[in-house]
Amino acid sequence: MAHPKRRHSTTRRDKRRSHDFGTPKTITTDPTTGEIHLRHRAHVFEGNLFYKGKMIVEGYAAQA
């Protein structure tokens, strides 16, 4: 197992660890249906597929 020749500073350690924690997912309420969903994702409401407040596919749940 490799061992470092010199000790890493706390600043270097903290810079590496700063990327370990991601940002939380952004949640939005659809203006048409009032359904809560992830941004930039289509969602199913009452068996229909909606995207950006518009119905894309009617009867989607029956297909899936």
Side-chain angles (χ1 to χ4, degrees):
M1 188 168 162
H3 295 288
K5 192 168 190 174
R6 299 269 182 228
R7 179 180 177 160
H8 283 211
S9 68
T10 55
T11 305
R12 286 179 66 103
R13 179 200 65 202
D14 293 342
K15 282 183 190 176
R16 184 185 70 246
R17 290 181 181 174
S18 69
H19 300 290
D20 290 346
F21 302 99
T23 57
K25 303 282 185 201
T26 307
I27 297 177
T28 294
T29 304
D30 190 305
T32 307
T33 62
E35 186 78 10
I36 296 174
H37 63 94
L38 291 174
R39 301 253 338 196
H40 307 290
R41 301 287 190 280
H43 63 281
V44 178
F45 179 74
E46 294 180 353
N48 301 324
L49 187 68
F50 284 85
Y51 183 66
K52 293 185 179 179
K54 299 175 186 172
M55 185 170 51
I56 304 299
V57 178
E58 191 171 352
Y60 178 77
Q63 295 173 2

